[in-house]
Amino acid sequence: MDFTVNILALGIPFSVALLLASLGEMFNQRAGVFNLGCEGIMAMGAFLGMLVPYGAGHGAPVPGTFNVLGLLLAMAVGALLGLLFGLAVVTFRAPQGIAGIGLQMFGVGTAGTLFRHFVGGTQSVPGIDRLPIPVLSDIPFIGPVLFSHNPLVYLTFLLVPAAWYILFRTPWGLRVRASGANPRAADSVGIRVNLVRFQALAVGGALAGLAGAYLSLCQVKMFSDEIIAGRGFIAVALVYFGHWRPLKITGGALLFSFAQALQLAIQGQGIDFPYEFAVMLPYALVIVVLAFSRESLLLGPTALGKPFNREMRT
Amino acid sequence: RPNAAEAAGGAVKIALIIESTVDDKGWCQAMHDGILQAQKELPGRIEYSYSEKMKPVDAGSAVLQYVSQGYHIIIGHGAQYKNLMLEMAEEYPDVTFAFGTSAEIGPENVFTYMPQSEETGYLSGLIAGMTTKKNTVGLVGPVDGGDAARYNRGFVLGVQAVNPKAKIMVAHTGSFADFVKAGEVAETQIKAGADVLTGSSQQALGALRAVADHRDAPIWWVGQDIAQIRITEGYKCIAASSYNYGAVIVSLVAKLDAGVRGGECIPLNFSNGGFVFAFNETLKNMYTGAVEQKVNETLEKFLATPDTLDWSAVDYSKL
Amino acid sequence: MEPNTGKITSLRVEHITKRFPGVLACSDISLSVGEGEVLALVGENGAGKTTLMNILMGLYRPDEGRILINGEETVFRSPGDAFAAGLGMVHQQYMLVANMTVLENIALGYTRAWSPLALDLDMVRARIDEISRKYGLAVDPDAYVWQLSVGEQQRVELVKTLCLGARFLILDEPTSALTPQETDELILLLRKMTRELSIIFISHKLQEVKNLSDKVVILRRGEVVFEGSTADHSSDDIAALMTGREIHLPRNEAPECEGKPALDIRGLKVRSDRGFLAVDGLDLSVCAGEIVGLAGVSGNGQRELAEAINGLREVEEGEILFFGRNIADHSPRDVIDAGMGYIPEERNTEGIVPSFSMKENFILKDAGSPRFSARSFLKLEEIDRNADRLRTEFDIRSPDTDAAAGSLSGGNIQKVILAREISRMPRFLVAVYPTRGLDMGAAEFIHRRLLEKRMEGIGILLISEELEEILDLSDRIAVIFKGRIIGTLDRRTADSRKIGILMAGVRNDEAV
Amino acid sequence: MTKQFKILYRTVLILLAVAAAMLAGALILWTIGADVTKTYSVIIFEPLKNKIQIGEVIIRAIPLTVIALGISVAYRSGIINIGAEGQMAMGIIAATAVALAFPGLPKAVLLPLALTAGAIGGAAWGFIPGLLKAKLHVSELLSTVMLNYIAAQFYTFCLRGPMLDPAEITMGSGTPQSMRLTKAIWLDRLVPGTRIHTGVYIALFLAFTVWLLLWRTSWGYRMRAAGAGERAARYGGIGVAGCLVAAMVISGAFAGLAGAVEVAGVHRRAIEGITGGYGFSGIVVALFGGLHPAGIIPASFFFGLLIVGADMTQRMAGVPANMVLVLQGIIILVIVATRMVLANPYLEDRVRRRYCRLTDRGREE
Ligand SMILES: Nc1ncnc2c1ncn2[C@@H]1O[C@H](COP(=O)(O)OP(=O)(O)OP(=O)(O)O)[C@@H](O)[C@H]1O
Ligand SMILES: Nc1ncnc2c1ncn2[C@@H]1O[C@H](COP(=O)(O)OP(=O)(O)OP(=O)(O)O)[C@@H](O)[C@H]1O
Ligand SMILES: [Mg+2]
Ligand SMILES: [Mg+2]
C-alpha cells in the first residue's frame, strides 16, 4: 500500500518534464512539423529558467517572482528557437529530421557554453518548492499521490485537458490539424498554412522550454549542461506512443515515469540481478505496451514532415 | 620531439584529459583543482592545459596534439583512457603519460595512480550508520564501476561495521552525468525511509539537492567531495572527504626532476595524504561525541596502515 | 474578411500570364463572365485551365495581367481575399481533409463561426442545413470525409463553397468522377443556380458543355484559341478546335466472342476500410476476348472488388476463379504471376512510384523477372531498351525515360501505366476509371489500346462511371449496386437509360 | 545570359549562407568573449595542417561513412533509423565477445569472424524495430530511441560483468571495459604516425556494395520502391513488410560493423563512450550525402573535418568544449536550408525574371 502510494506519488512529478515537452511536440507534429530538436530547446529552457533566479541572488533564497520570470524567459526563448527552426524547415524547406538534430546540437551546446560563461560549475538554485494543497493533500492515498506536488505539476496536468480543448475545439486547433493533415485543403480555404506552422512551432518551443525549466527549477533545482540527458528524444517518442492525442500522450508519459519510480524503488529494496536490467524497464515497457495497442494511423497528421508551398507540387 | 628530461628543473608542461568538465564538482574537478594547487605550491614549475568532454576517440586527437606541442606529462583521468595512454606511451617514449584509476605498473614512461576511495566511503558509512534514526541509509550510485564502485562498497562496509541491522538501499542511475535521475533515486529512497544518504560521481549533486529539498526534515547527507560542504546544500552535508591530487602532482614533478619518468603506481589513501577528511563545522551537534570519536579512531588506523578494506567482497544483492 | 454580399455582375481577367519553371501555363489570357452567365472553359490536359482558375482564386499570383470584378481591379493575395470578394471554387482534386468530419471541413473556411477560444460548430451546422435545404444537396455533417464516396465528397465541396458565401462559382472538372445521374443532377442544379450567380465550368465532356454553358472558351498550350457562344457550335466543332484535329472515339463493333470464362467470381464478399461489406455476395464472369463494363455509382464496391481480385484486399467469403484456379486471398505477387493486369483507380499513388523514373516504373512488377534481371542483377540495357520502345509506342510525352514519373502529366502517367500493364502480355486486364480526368485525345488513345487487346483475345473488366465509355467498349454491361450485380445487359440492347435505372438500384423487372 | 545568371545566383546564395553561419556562431563567441577570428581559423585550417590531424579526420570519417550507408539503406526503404547508436553498441559487444572467446585463433580467421559478429549483433538490434514496424505498426522513431537506451545499459552490463578486464578487478577499480583484445583482431595502421587504419578499405568497399545493392540489383529496386511508394509497391507485388525488415537488418548490420571496426581499428578494446554520438551524426551525414554512397563519402569526410576542427578550438582558441556542438548545430542547419533553397526552381525562376528585367532596363538607360 505505502509502496504503491510512493510509486504513484513519485511517478507523477517525474513525468512532468516529458509530458510538457511531448505536448509541445504534439502541436508541432499536428501542424505537420517533426521537431527532433526538442532536446536542444529543453536544454536552453533549463539553463535560462535557472539563470534568472541565480542572477538575481547568487544562490541565496530569492522571491518567487524571479522564478516566475525564469519560467517565462525559458518559454519565450523556447518559442524563439521554435521559430528559428521554422525558418529552416518551413521557410527554407530543410529536411526536418536532420535540421532537428542540428537544433538539438545548437541548443545543448549554446546552453552549456553560456552556462560556463555566466555561471560556471554545476549550480543549484532555491527553485520552486512543493505546494501541498491544504485540505486535499491530507486525504489518505489521493492526497499524497495527487495533491502534494510542485505548482507546475498541477499546472501541467491542467494543461492536458486544455491542450485537448485547444486542439479539437478551437479554430486554431482546427487550423493546426488541417495544416498537418492536408495543407493544400487548408490553404484553399484561406488558411495560411505556414503561418499556422510557425505558430505551432512557437507553442511547441515554449512548452519544451518550460519542460526544461521545470527540470532546473522544480525537479532538481540545479543545472549542468548534461541536465536533459536524452529526455527530449523520449518526449518525441512519446508523441508516437500517444498517436498525437493529448490524453494518450499523458498515458505514455505516466507509464514511463511510474515504471521509472518502480524500477528505482525495486533497486533500493535490493535485487539479485544486475541493476542495468532494472534501468531498462521503462524504455522496454513503453515499446511493449505500444506494440500491443493497435491503432489506425489515419487520425494522425498525414502531411507530417512535408514542407508546404502552393506552387511546388511534389 | 618533446623531451621530459629537459623539463627537469625547468617548466613542466602538463596536459589533462577528462571525460566531463573541470567544474563538475566531482571526479574531474578534483584533479583539475589538484593541478592548480600544485601550480601554487611550485611557482613557475607547471604549465597546464586541459581538454574537457573527451570521448575515447577525441582523447586520441587531443593527446596527439599535446605531444606535437611538446607537453611533458599527459594525464588521462580515468581508466577508460588506459589503452590510449599505453599505446601513445609506446609511440612517444619521450613523453610521460599518467592515468588512473589503476594499480598496474606501466612501462617506464607511464605513471598510474589509484585512489583507494573505499577508505573515504568507509568513513561516510560509519557516519551514516551511526546517524540514521530510521536504521535506513541510501546509496545513490552512477554506474557500478570505477572509483564510484570503490567508494560505494567502502560505504557499505562502514555502515555494516557500526550498524549491522541498518537497511542499506543501493540504486544506480546507469549514468555518471544524469543528476536529474540521481535526484529521482534520492527522492525514491527518502520516500522509502532512508534518512542518511550518500552518492558518488558528479551526478551525486542531484541527490544532495534532493536531500536539501527536505529543508527541515531530519534527512542528512555524507559527501564524497569536500566541495559539497561548501555549496548551498552544504547544510545537509555532515562530512565529506576528498582526493588530494595536489600532492600527487607535486610528487610527479619531483619524480621527473629525479629522472623517474614512470613505471610506478601512486596510490591515494589517507596514510600518504592522498585523501583529506572534514566534518561540517556548522553541524557540530550532528557528530560531536560517538560519531566523531569513531571516525577519528578509524582515521588513525587508516593513517597507520593503508589498504586494509576488502571492498571487492561487498555484494549488493546480499544486502 | 467579412464578405460583402453584393452580386457579382461581371468578372473580367485581362492579359493574364503565368509561367512555371519550363512551362508557360497561361499566356496573355483575357476573358469575361457576365451576370448569370455560364462560361465553359475547355482544353486539352495541360492547357492551363486549372492554373488560370487558381489565379482567379488567389492561389497563384499572375506574372502579368489583372482581374476586374464589377469593373474595378482587385488583387487577391490569398484564397481568403477571393472568398471575401464572393468567388468560390470546387477544385479538380477535392480540397478536403480526409480525417476530419464534413462539419469540421466546412468550419475550416467558415470564419464567421470562429471566436478565439471557441468554435461555434452549431452555427456551421445551421449554415450547412440552410444551404443543403436551399439547393437540395444532402450531406451528413458528422461523417468523416474518408468515409465518403467521390460523388459525396464532390457534393461536400459544393456545399462548402456555397456555405462560404460564393456568389461566383468555379467548377474544375466537377463531373469527371460523377455518374450520369449525379452529372445530370449537378447540371440541373447549376442551371437553377444561374439565377443568382455566375459560373465558370471546366470539363472535358463536351456534352455537358453544350448542355450548360452560354459561352465557351478554348485554351491550348496556355493561349485562348477560341471564344464564342456555345449555341453556335456543335460539340464536334469544339472538339476539333480544342485538339486541332478530328476526334473519333472508337466503338466495339466486333462480334462477341465465345471464349471460355477467364475470370469467374462467385459469392464474393469483401469489407471496405470502414469495415462493412462493400462487396456483398457478388457473382460475375468475364470470358477471354470479352470486355465486360461494370457500371455503377462510385462507392458501390467497385474499388474493393478490383482490390480483392488483385490480392490487395482480404476476401471475406467466396471464390475468384481465374482460368479455373481460385486466386481469392492470394498475394498480389501470385495474382500478377497468374497473368493478371491491373490499371488502378489511384493513378498517381498506386499506379506509379512518383519519384521513380519512367523506365523504373516500367519494371515495377518485373524487377525480379529473368527478362530484367539475371541472378538478381538488373539488366540495365534491357530496361532502357524496353523503356524507349514503350515510350515511342505509346507516345508518352516527356523529355526522356529518366524523367520522374510523378512530374509527368496525368494523361502521360496513365499512358505509362497502360504501357506497363499491356506490354506484360497479361491474360486478363482489370481497368478502373482508365480515362478519368483525361482529355479526349488521351481517352481516345486508351480506348483504342483496350479494344486492340480485346481483339487479341484478352478478357477485360472495365470499371467506369462514364456510360459513353462503357457503351462504346463493352460486349456486356454489368451494373453494380450495394456490392451486388443488380443486372447484366447485352451491348445491343443496352442504353444509358436502362443502365441508369439499374444504377439507381431498381431491377429490370421492377422497371418499365 | 541565363548561364551567367545561374552562377551569380548560386554564388550569392552560398556567400549569404556562409555569412549567416559565421555570424550566428560569432554572436555566441562574442557573448562569451572568445576570439572569433582565431576560433574560425582553427576550425577551418588546423585539421588540414598536418598528416596527424588529417588522420584524425579520416578515422572519424570511417564509422560515419559505414553508419550513414546503413542509414541511407533504411531511409531509402522508408524507415528512419535513429537507432544506429544502439546497434553500434551491440556490434561492439558481439565483436568483443568473439575476440575474447577465441584469443587463440589466427588473424585470418578471427578478424573476419569478429567483424561478422559485430555486423550480426547490430543486425539483431535493427531487426527488432524493423519487425515491430512491419508487423505491429510500432513507429520506428519510438522503438529505435528506446532501444538505444536499452542497448546502452546492456553495453555497460557486459563491460562491467562478463567482459570486464581481469586487470580491472585485481589492480583497478572495475572501470567498465574489456581487456585489451588480442592483436589478431587489430586492423593495421596504414600511415605511420597517424591512427588511420585499414577500416578505410572496408568503408569504401561497403560504399560500393551499397551502390550495387540499391541501384543495380532487383532487391535494391524493391526496397527503394517500398520506400518511395508503399502503395505502388504493394500493387506491384513487392513484399513491403519484408523490405522494411531487410532494410533495418542491413542498416543495423552496418552500424554494428562500424562498431566492430572502431574497436579493431582504434580502441582495440571495448570501452564506454565508443559510440559517442556517431549514430546521430550518421543520420546527418547520410542526408548530407543525399542518401547516396557517392555523396556520403565526401559528406563524412567533411563532417569529420568539422568534428576535429571544432574539437581543436578548446585547446587552441580556449573556447569551452560545448562550443563544438554549437558550431556543428549551426553549420548543419545552415547547410541543409541552403541546399533546399538552391534546389528550388520556382524561386530561381522568379529571381531570374526580376534580374533580367533589371538588366534590360539597365541596357536601355
Ligand atoms: N511539381 C512539378 N514541378 C514542375 N513541373 C511539373 C510538376 N508537376 C508537373 N509538372 C509539369 O506539368 C506537366 C503536366 O502536369 P499536370 O498534372 O497538370 O498534367 P496536365 O497538364 O493536366 O496534363 P494531363 O493531365 O492530361 O496529361 C508535366 O509535363 C510536367 O512537366
Ligand atoms: N505548380 C506547377 N508547377 C509546375 N508546372 C505546373 C504547375 N501547375 C501547372 N503546371 C503546368 O502548367 C500547365 C497547365 O497546367 P494546368 O493544370 O493548368 O492544365 P489543365 O488545363 O488544368 O490540365 P487538366 O485538364 O489536366 O486539368 C501544365 O503543363 C502543367 O504541367
Ligand atoms: Mg486542371
Ligand atoms: Mg491533369
Side-chain angles (χ1 to χ4, degrees):
Chain A
M1 182 59 197
D2 246 16
F3 187 74
T4 337
V5 174
N6 286 345
I7 301 303
L8 298 178
L10 285 164
I12 286 174
F14 291 177
S15 72
V16 168
L18 293 175
L19 185 47
L20 282 170
S22 293
L23 289 175
E25 181 72 17
M26 178 195 71
F27 279 109
N28 294 346
Q29 297 200 5
R30 275 287 185 172
V33 185
F34 167 57
N35 182 356
L36 206 49
C38 189
E39 176 99 358
I41 301 181
M42 287 175 80
M44 283 299 273
F47 166 58
L48 295 164
M50 66 79 72
L51 186 62
V52 177
Y54 168 81
H58 284 262
V62 291
T65 50
F66 287 110
N67 292 326
V68 177
L69 285 180
L71 294 178
L72 293 179
L73 181 63
M75 292 178 73
V77 174
L80 216 62
L81 285 170
L83 294 175
L84 178 82
F85 188 64
L87 189 69
V89 299
V90 175
T91 309
F92 295 135
R93 308 166 54 85
Q96 296 175 1
I98 169 173
I101 296 177
L103 178 64
Q104 174 245 336
M105 290 178 168
F106 175 75
V108 173
T110 310
T113 310
L114 298 180
F115 171 70
R116 165 66 63 87
H117 179 67
F118 290 112
V119 182
T122 314
Q123 179 62 48
S124 68
V125 288
I128 302 172
D129 278 325
R130 270 204 213 76
L131 179 78
I133 296 178
V135 185
L136 297 172
S137 57
D138 304 332
I139 309 169
F141 193 86
I142 316 260
V145 173
L146 296 181
F147 300 111
S148 34
H149 296 300
N150 191 290
L152 222 59
V153 178
Y154 308 130
L155 191 78
T156 304
F157 280 89
L158 291 178
L159 201 65
V160 174
W164 177 87
Y165 180 84
I166 292 171
L167 193 56
F168 294 103
R169 290 287 178 272
T170 65
W172 187 72
L174 193 67
R175 294 207 287 279
V176 167
R177 283 185 292 140
S179 305
N182 186 347
R184 285 197 182 285
D187 182 53
S188 76
V189 291
I191 286 167
R192 295 169 62 189
V193 171
N194 287 342
L195 176 67
V196 172
R197 289 186 169 178
F198 267 102
Q199 293 166 339
L201 278 167
V203 172
L207 285 173
L210 185 61
Y214 170 83
L215 284 177
S216 65
L217 274 183
C218 304
Q219 193 170 332
V220 273
K221 301 179 174 142
M222 59 194 293
F223 182 91
S224 103
D225 55 357
E226 312 232 19
I227 183 168
I228 308 302
R231 286 173 181 78
F233 290 101
I234 295 172
V236 174
L238 287 176
V239 175
Y240 289 85
F241 182 94
H243 289 104
W244 304 278
R245 295 208 219 87
L247 301 180
K248 287 200 68 190
I249 288 173
T250 314
L254 286 173
L255 174 72
F256 184 89
S257 313
F258 287 142
Q260 183 71 275
L262 179 67
Q263 163 292 98
L264 295 175
I266 294 177
Q267 275 197 57
Q269 298 308 317
I271 49 177
D272 51 8
F273 57 88
Y275 71 88
E276 283 93 349
F277 294 94
V279 178
M280 291 178 192
L281 178 72
Y283 307 99
L285 198 62
V286 169
I287 298 181
V288 173
V289 171
L290 183 60
F292 291 104
S293 71
R294 299 292 231 83
E295 266 294 345
S296 80
L297 294 176
L298 198 69
L299 295 134
T302 28
L304 179 58
K306 300 194 187 79
F308 170 74
N309 174 306
R310 266 183 204 153
E311 290 194 334
M312 297 191 201
R313 294 192 285 182
T314 39
Chain B
R1 262 321 182 100
N3 186 333
E6 102 211 349
V12 184
K13 293 175 81 177
I14 300 181
L16 173 64
I17 289 172
I18 50 177
E19 179 110 39
S20 111
T21 57
V22 294
D23 49 19
D24 68 356
K25 297 208 165 68
W27 176 247
C28 298
Q29 183 169 6
M31 176 56 90
H32 174 72
D33 294 346
I35 298 175
L36 296 184
Q37 185 196 334
Q39 257 179 327
K40 277 201 219 68
E41 290 178 23
L42 309 170
R45 287 303 311 279
I46 298 178
E47 271 179 51
Y48 169 47
S49 158
Y50 60 82
S51 293
E52 296 175 310
K53 292 184 179 279
M54 288 287 106
K55 292 185 241 87
V57 62
D58 302 331
S61 322
V63 169
L64 286 169
Q65 202 182 348
Y66 282 132
V67 169
S68 63
Q69 292 173 347
Y71 275 77
H72 306 109
I73 306 180
I74 299 176
I75 305 174
H77 192 44
Q80 66 270 34
Y81 300 122
K82 165 166 141 189
N83 206 43
L84 181 68
M85 293 295 148
L86 291 173
E87 243 176 50
M88 291 295 174
E90 233 171 279
E91 198 116 352
Y92 304 102
D94 303 342
V95 184
T96 294
F97 294 86
F99 68 90
T101 60
S102 169
E104 294 170 56
I105 301 302
E108 53 85 38
N109 64 330
V110 175
F111 283 108
T112 56
Y113 52 91
M114 167 58 82
Q116 293 163 332
S117 300
E118 63 273 20
E119 290 187 352
T120 59
Y122 190 83
L123 294 180
S124 305
L126 296 177
I127 299 167
M130 295 173 80
T131 314
T132 176
K133 298 272 173 297
K134 300 186 186 164
N135 256 349
T136 317
V137 299
L139 173 55
V140 182
V143 170
D144 188 14
D147 188 61
R150 286 182 89 121
Y151 173 87
N152 294 353
R153 285 179 165 72
F155 178 82
V156 172
L157 291 174
V159 175
Q160 285 169 336
V162 290
N163 188 344
K165 295 183 308 310
K167 174 166 179 42
I168 308 175
M169 297 181 172
V170 184
H172 291 86
T173 59
S175 141
F176 286 103
D178 189 345
F179 60 81
V180 174
K181 216 176 203 175
E184 293 177 352
V185 175
E187 198 53 41
T188 315
Q189 295 182 337
I190 292 168
K191 272 232 183 327
D195 62 350
V196 185
L197 290 84
T198 190
S200 38
S201 91
Q202 65 263 35
Q203 61 149 22
L205 285 175
L208 170 53
R209 190 66 187 83
V211 169
D213 227 22
H214 299 259
R215 206 168 280 112
D216 316 316
I219 295 173
W220 303 101
W221 176 264
V222 204
Q224 188 198 10
D225 191 318
I226 291 181
Q228 297 173 357
I229 294 182
R230 289 187 230 101
I231 58 177
T232 329
E233 291 69 30
Y235 70 93
K236 283 288 189 182
C237 185
I238 301 172
S241 333
S242 41
Y243 321 90
N244 176 10
Y245 280 112
V248 178
I249 301 301
V250 172
S251 72
L252 265 184
V253 175
K255 289 188 196 312
L256 234 60
D257 294 347
V260 182
R261 302 196 17 253
E264 287 184 16
C265 170
I266 308 166
L268 278 76
N269 50 36
F270 280 105
S271 79
N272 72 358
F275 290 127
V276 286
F277 172 90
F279 278 113
N280 181 351
E281 305 297 340
T282 62
L283 293 174
K284 263 202 171 346
N285 59 323
M286 288 300 301
Y287 59 82
T288 37
V291 176
E292 188 166 22
Q293 191 186 351
K294 179 72 184 166
V295 168
N296 291 335
E297 284 169 15
T298 321
L299 267 174
E300 296 299 328
K301 273 211 229 78
F302 285 160
L303 286 167
T305 49
D307 210 359
T308 52
L309 298 166
D310 180 11
W311 61 280
S312 53
V314 174
D315 174 358
Y316 294 137
S317 63
K318 299 274 180 301
L319 295 177
Chain C
M1 44 167 271
E2 190 54 32
N4 65 321
T5 45
K7 272 202 169 176
I8 294 183
T9 52
S10 88
L11 177 139
R12 310 220 339 263
V13 301
E14 294 182 346
H15 311 296
I16 292 281
T17 299
K18 177 70 181 175
R19 294 185 194 78
F20 291 112
V23 196
L24 177 57
C26 304
S27 79
D28 190 32
I29 295 180
S30 303
L31 51 81
S32 74
V33 187
E35 180 170 0
E37 244 182 357
V38 177
L39 173 83
L41 191 59
V42 298
E44 296 178 297
N45 296 121
K49 308 181 291 294
T50 301
T51 305
L52 181 62
M53 295 303 111
N54 285 342
I55 290 170
L56 267 181
M57 288 306 296
L59 278 160
Y60 296 160
R61 304 288 295 278
D63 299 328
E64 290 145 42
R66 52 192 205 140
I67 302 169
L68 298 97
I69 291 181
N70 298 343
E72 69 199 57
E73 179 165 1
T74 47
V75 179
F76 298 150
R77 269 173 203 74
S78 87
D81 303 351
F83 284 121
L87 271 55
M89 174 165 173
V90 174
H91 291 265
Q92 193 170 359
Q93 296 93 345
Y94 298 151
M95 296 293 193
L96 297 169
V97 184
N99 52 25
M100 300 202 309
T101 63
V102 171
L103 192 60
E104 287 176 318
N105 266 284
I106 291 172
L108 202 52
Y110 196 60
T111 45
R112 237 173 303 172
W114 293 4
S115 68
L117 280 183
L119 188 57
D120 186 349
L121 286 174
D122 299 334
M123 185 198 243
V124 184
R125 199 180 289 275
R127 175 72 172 166
I128 296 176
D129 211 51
E130 175 193 342
I131 294 294
S132 10
R133 232 182 289 100
K134 182 169 173 193
Y135 297 100
L137 289 164
V139 295
D140 169 7
D142 300 308
Y144 277 93
V145 167
W146 61 267
Q147 300 178 314
L148 304 179
S149 72
V150 188
E152 293 167 315
Q153 290 186 27
Q154 202 260 4
R155 204 173 315 138
V156 173
E157 275 284 13
L158 203 51
V159 172
K160 182 174 89 181
T161 321
L162 294 167
C163 285
L164 304 192
R167 281 154 290 120
F168 188 106
L169 263 188
I170 299 170
L171 302 155
D172 192 350
E173 299 188 27
T175 61
S176 61
L178 296 193
T179 61
Q181 277 73 12
E182 290 172 321
T183 308
D184 297 343
E185 287 162 18
L186 182 66
I187 302 276
L188 276 173
L189 175 68
L190 294 177
R191 263 223 212 79
K192 268 211 263 102
M193 289 180 171
T194 51
R195 287 199 216 94
E196 58 220 53
L197 38 72
S198 325
I199 297 173
I200 294 183
F201 178 85
I202 298 178
S203 175
H204 292 299
K205 302 181 192 164
L206 299 185
Q207 203 46 49
E208 300 161 6
V209 172
K210 287 291 292 180
N211 292 346
L212 183 63
S213 65
D214 315 308
K215 265 198 328 193
V216 59
V217 169
I218 303 180
L219 294 185
R220 198 190 304 159
R221 296 206 173 66
E223 292 178 10
V224 177
V225 292
F226 171 85
E227 178 166 16
S229 93
T230 320
D232 321 349
H233 299 273
S234 76
S235 37
D236 291 354
D237 306 348
I238 299 175
L241 285 161
M242 204 167 85
T243 53
R245 65 187 170 96
E246 295 289 310
I247 298 241
H248 308 289
L249 288 176
R251 308 193 88 253
N252 176 356
E253 262 99 19
E256 70 240 47
C257 65
E258 290 308 328
K260 52 181 175 4
L263 180 71
D264 191 355
I265 299 173
R266 298 192 186 145
L268 188 67
K269 291 191 177 177
V270 183
R271 293 202 177 279
S272 78
D273 295 337
R274 279 168 278 164
F276 66 82
L277 283 174
V279 177
D280 189 1
L282 177 137
D283 302 290
L284 179 69
S285 87
V286 185
C287 298
E290 169 184 57
I291 297 182
V292 170
L294 186 69
V297 180
S298 70
N300 272 286
Q302 292 96 323
R303 158 191 296 236
E304 288 79 4
L305 173 62
E307 289 181 352
I309 294 173
N310 288 280
L312 292 162
R313 187 174 286 275
E314 219 171 287
V315 170
E316 196 82 0
E317 205 180 300
E319 301 186 306
I320 304 172
L321 296 175
F322 190 57
F323 294 98
R325 172 162 157 261
N326 184 3
I327 56 165
D329 269 334
H330 282 222
S331 75
R333 186 77 254 165
D334 289 356
V335 180
I336 293 167
D337 294 341
M340 183 72 74
Y342 177 30
I343 298 172
E345 175 179 7
E346 296 284 343
R347 181 178 306 163
N348 301 311
T349 59
E350 189 156 25
I352 57 160
V353 179
S355 59
F356 273 25
S357 67
M358 187 195 301
K359 66 181 179 196
E360 283 180 306
N361 271 291
F362 280 138
I363 63 165
L364 184 59
K365 288 181 171 180
D366 301 296
S369 79
R371 175 163 174 222
F372 293 117
S373 69
R375 275 179 261 82
S376 69
F377 275 92
L378 295 171
K379 299 181 185 168
L380 297 182
E381 322 68 30
E382 178 54 29
I383 293 172
D384 285 332
R385 219 176 299 119
N386 175 62
D388 293 330
R389 216 192 70 241
L390 294 180
R391 173 151 160 267
T392 41
E393 185 181 329
F394 287 77
D395 82 310
I396 298 162
R397 308 254 169 78
S398 83
D400 53 18
T401 57
D402 294 317
S407 75
L408 295 181
S409 69
N412 286 312
I413 288 174
Q414 195 68 340
K415 286 179 180 177
V416 170
I417 298 170
L418 188 76
R420 179 185 61 221
E421 293 308 304
I422 287 181
S423 66
R424 299 188 66 255
M425 293 301 159
R427 304 160 73 192
F428 193 91
L429 196 58
V430 177
V432 187
Y433 311 125
T435 61
R436 184 184 273 178
L438 300 192
D439 64 36
M440 298 172 76
E444 176 195 21
F445 180 91
I446 286 168
H447 286 179
R448 289 197 189 290
R449 290 310 181 130
L450 292 178
L451 284 173
E452 274 171 33
K453 280 289 140 189
R454 177 214 182 270
M455 289 311 171
E456 294 167 17
I458 301 241
I460 298 178
L461 175 60
L462 169 68
I463 300 178
S464 172
E465 304 142 327
E466 286 185 43
L467 289 195
E468 297 73 30
E469 183 167 70
I470 288 198
L471 287 165
D472 286 353
L473 300 183
S474 317
D475 297 288
R476 283 189 298 127
I477 296 156
V479 180
I480 187 171
F481 181 77
K482 293 215 158 76
R484 283 214 186 77
I485 300 300
I486 191 171
T488 314
L489 302 169
D490 183 285
R491 176 173 88 224
R492 277 181 258 85
T493 59
D495 63 45
S496 51
R497 198 189 119 274
K498 282 186 190 157
I499 300 176
I501 294 169
L502 285 169
M503 283 167 78
V506 190
R507 294 193 174 285
N508 295 37
D509 39 2
E510 302 162 22
V512 188
Chain D
M1 170 64 210
T2 48
K3 183 115 196 67
Q4 161 216 342
F5 166 81
K6 203 170 186 62
I7 299 164
L8 187 66
Y9 176 77
R10 298 192 149 256
T11 34
V12 168
L13 275 179
I14 291 169
L15 288 179
L16 283 177
V18 174
M22 291 228 159
L23 187 67
L27 283 179
I28 300 198
L29 288 167
W30 274 319
T31 27
I32 65 170
D35 180 342
V36 178
T37 45
K38 172 87 175 150
T39 311
Y40 282 135
S41 66
V42 168
I43 296 177
I44 296 165
F45 302 117
E46 285 302 327
L48 292 172
K49 260 209 176 132
N50 56 43
K51 77 168 189 224
I52 294 183
Q53 298 309 338
I54 295 176
E56 290 305 304
V57 172
I58 291 174
I59 64 161
R60 281 172 180 77
I62 293 168
L64 283 175
T65 310
V66 178
I67 290 175
L69 287 168
I71 286 173
S72 54
V73 170
Y75 210 103
R76 290 262 179 197
S77 316
I79 180 163
I80 301 169
N81 176 17
I82 47 183
E85 198 79 7
Q87 292 143 10
M88 187 177 182
M90 293 316 240
I92 296 172
I93 290 297
T96 312
V98 168
L100 291 174
F102 313 104
L105 290 179
K107 185 164 190 156
V109 185
L110 189 56
L111 180 55
L113 196 62
L115 295 181
T116 322
I120 293 173
W125 213 238
F127 174 75
I128 300 170
L131 193 71
L132 284 172
K133 186 183 177 73
K135 292 271 169 272
L136 298 171
H137 310 294
V138 175
S139 160
E140 73 273 22
L141 287 159
L142 179 134
S143 53
T144 47
V145 165
M146 297 297 167
L147 283 167
N148 280 343
Y149 290 95
I150 297 178
Q153 288 306 316
F154 183 72
Y155 189 75
T156 20
F157 159 71
C158 293
L159 290 195
R160 60 167 203 95
M163 296 182 179
L164 181 59
D165 179 357
E168 279 297 320
I169 303 170
T170 52
M171 343 191 47
S173 51
T175 303
Q177 61 182 318
S178 78
M179 62 184 270
R180 192 174 209 200
L181 300 175
T182 144
K183 277 198 161 49
I185 78 147
W186 291 15
L187 290 168
D188 307 331
R189 297 270 154 97
L190 281 176
V191 187
T194 73
R195 299 199 285 167
I196 305 175
H197 53 83
T198 46
V200 179
Y201 301 134
I202 299 181
L204 294 175
F205 171 75
L206 288 177
F208 176 72
T209 324
V210 165
W211 171 79
L212 214 57
L213 169 74
L214 284 181
W215 283 277
R216 286 291 178 272
T217 70
S218 51
W219 295 103
Y221 176 90
R222 292 199 197 86
M223 290 164 94
R224 285 188 297 125
E230 190 187 344
R231 272 193 78 186
R234 281 188 69 229
Y235 156 88
I238 294 169
V240 174
C243 289
L244 279 186
V245 178
M248 270 314 283
V249 167
I250 294 174
S251 196
F254 275 61
L257 186 58
V261 168
E262 200 62 1
V263 169
V266 179
H267 304 292
R268 276 94 191 260
R269 76 166 77 197
I271 328 169
E272 292 264 19
I274 291 183
T275 58
Y278 278 129
F280 290 101
S281 316
I283 301 172
V284 178
V285 170
L287 288 152
F288 265 8
L291 301 169
H292 191 292
I296 286 174
I297 292 173
S300 54
F301 185 83
F302 169 79
F303 208 75
L305 212 60
L306 186 57
I307 298 174
V308 174
D311 175 52
M312 290 171 96
T313 55
Q314 71 164 311
R315 283 182 290 283
M316 308 190 69
V319 300
N322 275 311
M323 204 57 211
V324 178
L325 283 176
V326 179
L327 297 167
Q328 285 179 12
I330 292 174
I331 291 172
I332 290 173
L333 281 166
V334 171
I335 289 185
V336 286
T338 315
R339 283 205 348 196
M340 292 313 289
V341 174
L342 285 171
N344 178 342
Y346 295 79
L347 180 67
E348 184 173 352
D349 209 49
R350 202 160 295 128
V351 178
R352 169 184 285 116
R353 275 192 252 119
R354 196 149 300 148
Y355 173 80
C356 295
R357 230 172 284 129
L358 288 178
T359 48
D360 295 350
R361 199 174 299 120
R363 279 201 209 78
E364 285 154 24
E365 284 147 16

